[in-house]
Coordinates of all heavy atoms in Angstrom, one line a residue:
M1 N 0.8 -1.2 0.0 CA 0.0 0.0 0.0 C 0.9 1.2 0.0 O 1.8 1.3 0.8 CB -0.9 0.0 1.2 CG -1.8 1.2 1.2 SD -3.1 1.1 2.4 CE -2.5 2.1 3.7
L2 N 0.6 2.1 -0.9 CA 1.3 3.4 -0.9 C 0.3 4.5 -0.6 O -0.7 4.8 -1.3 CB 1.8 3.6 -2.3 CG 2.7 4.9 -2.6 CD1 3.8 5.0 -1.7 CD2 3.1 4.8 -4.1
D3 N 0.4 5.1 0.6 CA -0.5 6.1 1.1 C 0.0 7.5 0.7 O 0.9 8.0 1.4 CB -0.7 5.9 2.6 CG -1.8 6.8 3.1 OD1 -2.3 7.7 2.4 OD2 -2.1 6.7 4.3
L4 N -0.6 8.1 -0.2 CA -0.3 9.5 -0.6 C -1.5 10.5 -0.4 O -1.5 11.5 -0.9 CB 0.0 9.5 -2.1 CG 1.2 8.6 -2.6 CD1 1.3 8.6 -4.1 CD2 2.5 9.1 -2.0
A5 N -2.4 10.1 0.5 CA -3.6 10.8 0.8 C -3.3 12.2 1.3 O -4.0 13.2 1.0 CB -4.5 10.1 1.7
D6 N -2.2 12.4 2.1 CA -1.9 13.7 2.6 C -0.9 14.5 1.8 O -0.5 15.6 2.2 CB -1.4 13.6 4.1 CG -2.5 13.1 5.0 OD1 -3.7 13.4 4.7 OD2 -2.2 12.4 6.0
A7 N -0.4 13.9 0.7 CA 0.6 14.6 -0.1 C -0.1 15.8 -0.9 O -1.3 15.6 -1.3 CB 1.2 13.6 -1.1
P8 N 0.6 16.9 -1.1 CA 0.0 18.0 -1.8 C -0.3 17.6 -3.3 O 0.6 16.9 -3.9 CB 1.1 19.1 -1.8 CG 2.0 18.7 -0.7 CD 1.9 17.2 -0.6
P9 N -1.5 17.9 -3.8 CA -1.8 17.5 -5.2 C -0.8 18.0 -6.2 O -0.5 17.3 -7.2 CB -3.2 18.2 -5.4 CG -3.8 18.3 -4.1 CD -2.6 18.6 -3.1
V10 N -0.2 19.1 -6.0 CA 0.8 19.6 -6.9 C 2.0 18.7 -7.0 O 2.5 18.4 -8.1 CB 1.3 21.1 -6.5 CG1 2.5 21.5 -7.4 CG2 0.2 22.0 -6.6
A11 N 2.4 18.2 -5.9 CA 3.6 17.2 -5.8 C 3.2 15.9 -6.5 O 4.0 15.3 -7.2 CB 4.0 16.9 -4.4
L12 N 2.0 15.5 -6.4 CA 1.5 14.2 -7.0 C 1.5 14.3 -8.5 O 1.8 13.4 -9.2 CB 0.1 13.8 -6.5 CG 0.1 13.5 -5.0 CD1 -1.4 13.2 -4.6 CD2 1.0 12.4 -4.6
T13 N 1.2 15.5 -9.1 CA 1.1 15.7 -10.5 C 2.5 15.7 -11.1 O 2.7 15.5 -12.3 CB 0.4 16.9 -10.9 OG1 1.0 18.1 -10.3 CG2 -1.1 16.9 -10.5
R14 N 3.5 15.9 -10.3 CA 4.9 15.9 -10.8 C 5.5 14.5 -10.9 O 6.6 14.4 -11.4 CB 5.8 16.8 -9.9 CG 5.4 18.2 -10.0 CD 6.3 19.1 -9.1 NE 5.9 20.5 -9.1 CZ 6.0 21.3 -8.1 NH1 6.6 20.9 -7.0 NH2 5.6 22.5 -8.2
I15 N 4.9 13.5 -10.4 CA 5.4 12.1 -10.5 C 5.3 11.7 -11.9 O 4.2 11.7 -12.5 CB 4.6 11.2 -9.5 CG1 4.7 11.6 -8.1 CG2 5.1 9.7 -9.7 CD1 3.9 10.8 -7.1
P16 N 6.4 11.3 -12.5 CA 6.3 10.9 -13.9 C 5.5 9.6 -14.1 O 5.4 8.7 -13.3 CB 7.8 10.6 -14.3 CG 8.6 11.1 -13.2 CD 7.7 11.2 -12.0
F17 N 4.8 9.6 -15.3 CA 4.0 8.4 -15.6 C 4.8 7.1 -15.6 O 4.3 6.1 -15.3 CB 3.3 8.6 -17.0 CG 2.5 7.5 -17.5 CD1 1.3 7.2 -16.9 CD2 3.0 6.6 -18.5 CE1 0.5 6.1 -17.3 CE2 2.2 5.5 -18.9 CZ 1.0 5.3 -18.3
T18 N 6.1 7.2 -16.0 CA 6.9 6.0 -16.0 C 7.0 5.3 -14.6 O 7.3 4.2 -14.5 CB 8.3 6.3 -16.6 OG1 8.9 7.4 -15.8 CG2 8.2 6.7 -18.0
T19 N 6.9 6.1 -13.6 CA 6.9 5.6 -12.2 C 5.8 4.5 -12.1 O 6.1 3.4 -11.5 CB 6.7 6.7 -11.2 OG1 7.7 7.7 -11.3 CG2 6.7 6.1 -9.8
W20 N 4.6 4.8 -12.6 CA 3.5 3.8 -12.4 C 3.7 2.6 -13.3 O 3.3 1.5 -13.0 CB 2.2 4.5 -12.7 CG 2.1 5.8 -11.9 CD1 1.9 7.0 -12.4 CD2 2.2 5.9 -10.5 NE1 1.9 7.9 -11.4 CE2 2.1 7.3 -10.2 CE3 2.4 5.0 -9.4 CZ2 2.1 7.8 -8.9 CZ3 2.4 5.5 -8.1 CH2 2.3 6.9 -7.9
L21 N 4.4 2.8 -14.5 CA 4.7 1.6 -15.3 C 5.7 0.7 -14.6 O 5.6 -0.5 -14.7 CB 5.3 2.1 -16.6 CG 4.3 2.9 -17.6 CD1 5.0 3.4 -18.8 CD2 3.2 2.0 -17.9
R22 N 6.7 1.3 -13.9 CA 7.6 0.5 -13.2 C 7.0 -0.3 -12.0 O 7.3 -1.4 -11.8 CB 8.7 1.4 -12.6 CG 9.6 2.0 -13.7 CD 10.8 2.8 -13.1 NE 11.6 3.4 -14.1 CZ 11.8 4.7 -14.3 NH1 11.3 5.5 -13.4 NH2 12.5 5.1 -15.3
V23 N 6.1 0.4 -11.3 CA 5.3 -0.3 -10.3 C 4.5 -1.5 -10.9 O 4.5 -2.6 -10.3 CB 4.4 0.6 -9.5 CG1 3.5 -0.1 -8.6 CG2 5.2 1.7 -8.7
Q24 N 3.9 -1.2 -12.0 CA 3.1 -2.3 -12.7 C 4.0 -3.5 -13.0 O 3.7 -4.6 -12.8 CB 2.4 -1.7 -13.9 CG 1.6 -2.8 -14.7 CD 1.1 -2.3 -16.0 OE1 1.2 -1.1 -16.3 NE2 0.4 -3.1 -16.7
R25 N 5.2 -3.2 -13.6 CA 6.1 -4.3 -14.0 C 6.6 -5.1 -12.8 O 6.8 -6.3 -12.9 CB 7.3 -3.7 -14.7 CG 6.9 -3.3 -16.1 CD 8.1 -3.0 -17.0 NE 7.6 -2.5 -18.3 CZ 8.0 -1.4 -18.9 NH1 8.8 -0.6 -18.3 NH2 7.5 -1.1 -20.0
I26 N 6.7 -4.4 -11.6 CA 7.2 -5.1 -10.4 C 6.2 -6.2 -10.0 O 6.6 -7.3 -9.6 CB 7.5 -4.1 -9.3 CG1 8.7 -3.3 -9.6 CG2 7.7 -4.8 -8.0 CD1 9.0 -2.1 -8.7
I27 N 4.9 -5.8 -10.0 CA 3.9 -6.7 -9.5 C 3.3 -7.6 -10.6 O 2.6 -8.6 -10.2 CB 2.8 -5.9 -8.8 CG1 2.0 -5.0 -9.7 CG2 3.3 -5.2 -7.6 CD1 0.8 -4.4 -9.1
E28 N 3.6 -7.4 -11.8 CA 3.0 -8.1 -12.9 C 3.4 -9.6 -12.8 O 4.6 -9.9 -12.5 CB 3.6 -7.5 -14.2 CG 2.9 -7.8 -15.5 CD 3.4 -7.0 -16.6 OE1 4.6 -7.0 -16.8 OE2 2.6 -6.4 -17.3
G29 N 2.5 -10.5 -13.1 CA 2.7 -11.9 -13.0 C 2.8 -12.5 -11.7 O 3.1 -13.7 -11.5
S30 N 2.4 -11.7 -10.6 CA 2.4 -12.3 -9.3 C 1.0 -12.1 -8.7 O 0.1 -11.6 -9.3 CB 3.4 -11.5 -8.4 OG 2.9 -10.2 -8.2
D31 N 0.8 -12.7 -7.6 CA -0.5 -12.6 -6.9 C -0.6 -11.4 -6.0 O -1.3 -11.4 -5.0 CB -0.7 -13.9 -6.1 CG -1.0 -15.1 -6.9 OD1 -1.4 -14.9 -8.1 OD2 -0.7 -16.2 -6.5
T32 N 0.2 -10.4 -6.3 CA 0.3 -9.2 -5.5 C -0.6 -8.1 -6.0 O -0.8 -7.9 -7.2 CB 1.7 -8.7 -5.5 OG1 2.6 -9.7 -5.1 CG2 1.9 -7.5 -4.6
A33 N -1.2 -7.4 -5.1 CA -2.1 -6.2 -5.5 C -1.4 -5.0 -4.9 O -0.8 -5.0 -3.9 CB -3.4 -6.3 -4.9
C34 N -1.4 -3.9 -5.7 CA -0.8 -2.7 -5.3 C -2.0 -1.7 -5.0 O -2.8 -1.4 -5.9 CB 0.1 -2.1 -6.3 SG 0.8 -0.5 -5.9
L35 N -2.1 -1.2 -3.8 CA -3.1 -0.2 -3.4 C -2.5 1.1 -3.3 O -1.6 1.3 -2.5 CB -3.8 -0.7 -2.1 CG -4.8 0.3 -1.6 CD1 -6.0 0.4 -2.5 CD2 -5.3 -0.2 -0.2
L36 N -2.9 2.1 -4.1 CA -2.4 3.4 -4.1 C -3.6 4.3 -3.6 O -4.6 4.4 -4.1 CB -2.1 3.8 -5.5 CG -1.6 5.3 -5.8 CD1 -0.3 5.5 -5.0 CD2 -1.4 5.5 -7.2
V37 N -3.3 5.0 -2.4 CA -4.3 5.8 -1.8 C -3.9 7.3 -2.1 O -2.8 7.7 -1.7 CB -4.4 5.6 -0.3 CG1 -5.4 6.5 0.4 CG2 -4.7 4.1 0.0
A38 N -4.8 8.0 -2.8 CA -4.5 9.4 -3.1 C -5.8 10.2 -3.1 O -6.9 9.6 -3.3 CB -3.8 9.5 -4.5
P39 N -5.8 11.5 -3.0 CA -7.0 12.3 -2.9 C -7.7 12.5 -4.3 O -8.8 13.0 -4.4 CB -6.5 13.6 -2.4 CG -5.1 13.7 -2.7 CD -4.6 12.3 -2.7
Q40 N -7.0 12.0 -5.4 CA -7.6 12.2 -6.7 C -7.0 11.0 -7.5 O -6.0 10.4 -7.2 CB -7.2 13.5 -7.3 CG -5.7 13.6 -7.4 CD -5.2 15.0 -7.7 OE1 -5.9 16.0 -7.3 NE2 -4.1 15.2 -8.4
P41 N -7.7 10.6 -8.6 CA -7.2 9.6 -9.5 C -5.8 10.0 -9.9 O -5.5 11.1 -10.3 CB -8.1 9.6 -10.7 CG -9.4 10.1 -10.2 CD -9.0 11.1 -9.1
L42 N -4.9 9.0 -9.9 CA -3.5 9.3 -10.1 C -2.8 8.5 -11.1 O -2.0 8.9 -11.9 CB -2.8 9.2 -8.7 CG -1.3 9.7 -8.6 CD1 -1.3 11.2 -9.0 CD2 -0.8 9.5 -7.2
A43 N -3.0 7.2 -11.0 CA -2.2 6.2 -11.9 C -3.2 5.3 -12.6 O -4.3 4.9 -12.1 CB -1.3 5.4 -11.1
R44 N -2.9 4.9 -13.8 CA -3.7 4.0 -14.6 C -2.8 2.9 -15.1 O -1.7 3.1 -15.4 CB -4.4 4.7 -15.7 CG -5.3 5.8 -15.3 CD -6.7 5.4 -15.5 NE -7.6 6.5 -15.3 CZ -8.3 6.8 -14.2 NH1 -8.2 6.0 -13.2 NH2 -9.1 7.8 -14.1
S45 N -3.4 1.7 -15.2 CA -2.7 0.6 -15.8 C -3.7 -0.3 -16.6 O -4.9 -0.1 -16.4 CB -1.9 -0.2 -14.8 OG -2.8 -0.9 -14.0
A46 N -3.2 -1.2 -17.3 CA -4.1 -2.1 -18.1 C -5.0 -2.8 -17.1 O -6.2 -3.1 -17.5 CB -3.3 -3.1 -18.9
G47 N -4.6 -3.2 -16.0 CA -5.4 -4.0 -15.0 C -5.9 -3.1 -13.9 O -6.4 -3.6 -12.9
G48 N -5.6 -1.8 -14.0 CA -6.0 -0.9 -12.9 C -7.4 -0.7 -12.8 O -8.2 -0.8 -13.7
L49 N -7.8 -0.2 -11.6 CA -9.2 0.1 -11.3 C -9.2 1.2 -10.3 O -8.3 1.3 -9.4 CB -9.8 -1.2 -10.6 CG -11.3 -1.2 -10.3 CD1 -12.1 -1.1 -11.6 CD2 -11.7 -2.4 -9.5
T50 N -10.1 2.1 -10.5 CA -10.2 3.3 -9.6 C -11.4 3.1 -8.7 O -12.5 2.8 -9.2 CB -10.4 4.6 -10.4 OG1 -9.3 4.7 -11.2 CG2 -10.5 5.8 -9.5
L51 N -11.2 3.2 -7.4 CA -12.3 3.2 -6.4 C -12.4 4.6 -5.8 O -11.4 5.1 -5.3 CB -12.0 2.2 -5.3 CG -11.8 0.7 -5.7 CD1 -11.4 -0.1 -4.5 CD2 -13.0 0.2 -6.3
L52 N -13.6 5.1 -5.9 CA -13.9 6.4 -5.2 C -14.5 6.1 -3.9 O -15.6 5.5 -3.8 CB -14.8 7.3 -6.1 CG -14.2 7.6 -7.5 CD1 -15.3 8.4 -8.3 CD2 -13.0 8.5 -7.3
L53 N -13.9 6.6 -2.8 CA -14.4 6.4 -1.5 C -14.9 7.7 -0.9 O -14.3 8.7 -1.0 CB -13.3 5.9 -0.6 CG -12.6 4.6 -1.0 CD1 -11.5 4.2 -0.1 CD2 -13.6 3.4 -1.1
A54 N -16.1 7.6 -0.3 CA -16.6 8.8 0.4 C -17.2 8.3 1.8 O -17.7 7.1 1.8 CB -17.7 9.4 -0.4
G55 N -17.1 9.1 2.8 CA -17.7 8.6 4.0 C -17.6 9.6 5.1 O -17.1 10.7 4.9
R56 N -18.1 9.2 6.3 CA -18.1 10.0 7.4 C -18.1 9.2 8.7 O -18.6 8.1 8.7 CB -19.3 11.0 7.4 CG -20.5 10.7 8.1 CD -21.6 11.8 7.8 NE -22.0 12.5 9.0 CZ -22.8 11.9 9.9 NH1 -23.3 10.7 9.7 NH2 -23.2 12.6 10.9
A57 N -17.4 9.7 9.7 CA -17.2 8.9 10.9 C -18.4 9.2 11.8 O -19.0 10.2 11.8 CB -16.0 9.4 11.6
R58 N -18.8 8.2 12.6 CA -19.8 8.3 13.6 C -19.2 8.2 15.0 O -18.5 7.3 15.3 CB -20.9 7.2 13.5 CG -21.8 7.4 12.3 CD -22.9 6.3 12.2 NE -22.3 5.1 11.6 CZ -22.3 3.9 12.1 NH1 -22.9 3.7 13.3 NH2 -21.8 2.9 11.5
W59 N -19.4 9.2 15.8 CA -18.8 9.3 17.1 C -19.8 9.1 18.2 O -21.0 9.4 18.0 CB -18.1 10.7 17.3 CG -17.0 10.9 16.3 CD1 -17.1 11.6 15.1 CD2 -15.7 10.5 16.4 NE1 -15.9 11.5 14.5 CE2 -15.0 10.9 15.2 CE3 -15.0 9.8 17.4 CZ2 -13.7 10.6 15.0 CZ3 -13.6 9.5 17.2 CH2 -13.0 9.9 16.0
A60 N -19.4 8.6 19.3 CA -20.3 8.4 20.4 C -19.6 9.0 21.7 O -18.4 9.1 21.7 CB -20.5 6.9 20.7
G61 N -20.4 9.5 22.6 CA -19.9 10.1 23.8 C -20.4 11.6 23.8 O -20.6 12.2 22.7
D62 N -20.5 12.1 25.0 CA -21.1 13.5 25.1 C -20.0 14.6 25.4 O -20.3 15.7 25.4 CB -22.2 13.5 26.1 CG -21.7 13.0 27.5 OD1 -20.6 12.6 27.6 OD2 -22.6 12.9 28.4
A63 N -18.8 14.2 25.6 CA -17.7 15.2 25.9 C -16.5 14.8 25.1 O -16.3 13.6 24.7 CB -17.4 15.2 27.4
D64 N -15.6 15.8 24.9 CA -14.4 15.5 24.1 C -13.6 14.3 24.6 O -13.1 13.5 23.9 CB -13.6 16.8 24.0 CG -14.2 17.8 23.0 OD1 -15.0 17.4 22.2 OD2 -13.8 19.0 23.1
R65 N -13.4 14.3 25.9 CA -12.6 13.2 26.5 C -13.3 11.9 26.6 O -12.7 10.9 26.8 CB -12.2 13.6 27.9 CG -11.3 14.9 27.9 CD -10.7 15.1 29.2 NE -9.6 14.2 29.4 CZ -8.9 14.1 30.4 NH1 -9.1 15.0 31.4 NH2 -7.9 13.3 30.5
N66 N -14.6 11.9 26.3 CA -15.4 10.7 26.4 C -15.8 10.2 25.0 O -16.5 9.1 24.9 CB -16.7 11.0 27.2 CG -17.5 9.7 27.6 OD1 -16.9 8.6 27.6 ND2 -18.8 9.8 27.7
R67 N -15.4 10.9 24.0 CA -15.8 10.5 22.6 C -15.0 9.3 22.1 O -13.8 9.2 22.4 CB -15.7 11.7 21.7 CG -16.7 12.7 22.0 CD -16.6 13.9 21.0 NE -16.9 13.4 19.7 CZ -16.9 14.1 18.6 NH1 -16.6 15.4 18.7 NH2 -17.2 13.6 17.4
H68 N -15.6 8.5 21.4 CA -14.9 7.4 20.7 C -15.6 7.1 19.3 O -16.8 7.4 19.2 CB -14.9 6.1 21.6 CG -16.2 5.5 21.9 ND1 -17.0 6.0 22.9 CD2 -16.9 4.5 21.3 CE1 -18.1 5.3 22.9 NE2 -18.1 4.4 21.9
L69 N -14.9 6.5 18.5 CA -15.4 6.2 17.1 C -16.4 5.0 17.3 O -16.0 3.9 17.7 CB -14.2 5.8 16.2 CG -14.6 5.5 14.8 CD1 -15.2 6.7 14.1 CD2 -13.4 4.9 14.0
A70 N -17.6 5.3 16.9 CA -18.7 4.3 17.0 C -18.8 3.5 15.6 O -19.4 2.4 15.6 CB -20.0 4.9 17.4
G71 N -18.3 4.1 14.6 CA -18.5 3.4 13.3 C -18.2 4.4 12.1 O -17.8 5.6 12.4
A72 N -18.3 3.9 10.9 CA -18.1 4.7 9.8 C -19.1 4.4 8.7 O -19.4 3.2 8.5 CB -16.7 4.6 9.3
D73 N -19.6 5.4 8.0 CA -20.5 5.1 6.9 C -19.7 5.4 5.7 O -19.3 6.6 5.4 CB -21.7 6.1 7.0 CG -22.5 5.9 8.2 OD1 -22.8 4.7 8.6 OD2 -22.9 6.9 8.9
V74 N -19.4 4.4 4.9 CA -18.5 4.5 3.7 C -19.3 4.1 2.5 O -20.0 3.1 2.5 CB -17.3 3.6 3.9 CG1 -16.4 3.7 2.7 CG2 -16.5 4.0 5.2
T75 N -19.1 4.8 1.4 CA -19.6 4.5 0.1 C -18.5 4.3 -0.8 O -17.5 5.1 -0.9 CB -20.5 5.7 -0.5 OG1 -21.5 6.0 0.5 CG2 -21.1 5.3 -1.8
V76 N -18.5 3.2 -1.5 CA -17.4 2.8 -2.5 C -18.0 2.8 -3.9 O -19.1 2.2 -4.1 CB -16.8 1.4 -2.2 CG1 -15.7 1.1 -3.2 CG2 -16.3 1.4 -0.7
R77 N -17.4 3.5 -4.8 CA -17.9 3.5 -6.1 C -16.7 3.0 -7.0 O -15.6 3.6 -7.0 CB -18.2 5.0 -6.5 CG -19.1 5.1 -7.7 CD -19.6 6.5 -7.7 NE -19.6 6.9 -9.1 CZ -19.6 8.2 -9.5 NH1 -19.5 9.1 -8.6 NH2 -19.6 8.5 -10.8
V78 N -17.0 2.0 -7.9 CA -16.0 1.5 -8.8 C -16.1 2.2 -10.1 O -17.2 2.3 -10.7 CB -16.3 0.0 -9.0 CG1 -15.2 -0.6 -10.0 CG2 -16.2 -0.8 -7.7
V79 N -15.0 2.8 -10.6 CA -15.0 3.6 -11.8 C -13.9 3.0 -12.7 O -12.8 2.8 -12.3 CB -14.7 5.0 -11.5 CG1 -14.7 5.8 -12.8 CG2 -15.7 5.6 -10.6
S80 N -14.3 2.6 -13.9 CA -13.3 2.1 -14.9 C -13.5 2.9 -16.2 O -14.3 2.5 -17.0 CB -13.6 0.6 -15.1 OG -12.7 0.1 -16.1
P81 N -12.7 3.9 -16.4 CA -12.9 4.7 -17.6 C -12.6 4.0 -18.9 O -13.1 4.3 -19.9 CB -11.9 5.9 -17.4 CG -10.9 5.4 -16.4 CD -11.6 4.4 -15.6
R82 N -11.7 3.0 -18.9 CA -11.4 2.3 -20.1 C -12.6 1.4 -20.6 O -12.8 1.2 -21.8 CB -10.2 1.3 -19.9 CG -8.9 2.1 -19.8 CD -7.8 1.1 -19.4 NE -8.0 0.4 -18.2 CZ -7.9 1.0 -17.0 NH1 -7.5 2.2 -16.8 NH2 -8.1 0.3 -15.9
R83 N -13.4 0.9 -19.7 CA -14.5 0.0 -20.1 C -15.8 0.8 -20.0 O -16.9 0.2 -20.1 CB -14.5 -1.2 -19.1 CG -13.3 -2.0 -19.2 CD -13.4 -3.2 -18.3 NE -12.1 -3.8 -18.1 CZ -11.4 -3.7 -17.0 NH1 -11.9 -3.0 -15.9 NH2 -10.2 -4.2 -16.9
R84 N -15.8 2.0 -19.8 CA -17.0 2.8 -19.7 C -18.0 2.2 -18.6 O -19.2 2.1 -18.9 CB -17.7 3.0 -21.0 CG -16.8 3.5 -22.1 CD -17.1 5.0 -22.2 NE -16.3 5.5 -23.3 CZ -15.7 6.6 -23.3 NH1 -15.6 7.3 -22.2 NH2 -15.0 7.0 -24.3
V85 N -17.5 1.8 -17.5 CA -18.3 1.2 -16.5 C -18.3 2.1 -15.3 O -17.2 2.7 -14.9 CB -17.7 -0.2 -16.0 CG1 -18.5 -0.7 -14.8 CG2 -17.8 -1.1 -17.2
D86 N -19.4 2.3 -14.7 CA -19.5 3.1 -13.5 C -20.5 2.4 -12.6 O -21.7 2.5 -12.8 CB -20.0 4.5 -13.8 CG -19.9 5.5 -12.6 OD1 -19.5 5.0 -11.5 OD2 -20.2 6.6 -12.7
A87 N -20.0 1.6 -11.6 CA -20.9 0.8 -10.8 C -20.8 1.2 -9.4 O -19.8 1.7 -8.9 CB -20.5 -0.7 -11.0
R88 N -21.9 0.9 -8.6 CA -21.9 1.2 -7.2 C -21.9 -0.1 -6.4 O -22.4 -1.1 -6.8 CB -23.1 2.0 -6.8 CG -23.0 3.4 -7.3 CD -24.2 4.3 -6.9 NE -24.1 5.5 -7.6 CZ -23.8 6.6 -6.9 NH1 -23.6 6.7 -5.7 NH2 -23.7 7.8 -7.6

């Protein structure tokens, strides 16, 4: 997993496309999956898939010191621009 969620978008756009080709070649032919987490679509490959995630945390407790995470409501949307598929 490569977590780039907090990286500035400007820095992410400066990553050369060949970087993603190299990553693809490293995992090609293996049972390995590469998960790239970013705030916007960033890399594409022949077998790549884009998942759009949206959600919000649910908190419990009535005071700041008493609050805890009670759950999360998450929506996942599968987007594949090559195949013109947009599924929920």
Side-chain angles (χ1 to χ4, degrees):
M1 182 167 98
L2 182 57
D3 186 356
L4 301 174
D6 291 332
V10 173
L12 296 176
T13 59
R14 292 183 184 147
I15 299 172
F17 177 73
T18 54
T19 302
W20 310 120
L21 293 176
R22 289 182 183 124
V23 170
Q24 179 185 357
R25 285 192 184 126
I26 290 170
I27 62 172
E28 202 170 48
S30 69
D31 291 335
T32 304
C34 178
L35 177 63
L36 176 62
V37 178
Q40 61 195 28
L42 189 59
R44 299 254 190 257
S45 70
L49 187 65
T50 300
L51 300 176
L52 298 176
L53 304 175
R56 92 185 243 286
R58 284 184 280 126
W59 297 95
D62 54 2
D64 286 341
R65 298 190 75 179
N66 189 29
R67 290 181 64 177
H68 64 276
L69 183 64
D73 299 316
V74 179
T75 303
V76 179
R77 197 167 141 207
V78 179
V79 179
S80 179
R82 287 174 301 283
R83 296 182 199 107
R84 304 263 186 225
V85 173
D86 189 358
R88 289 183 187 252

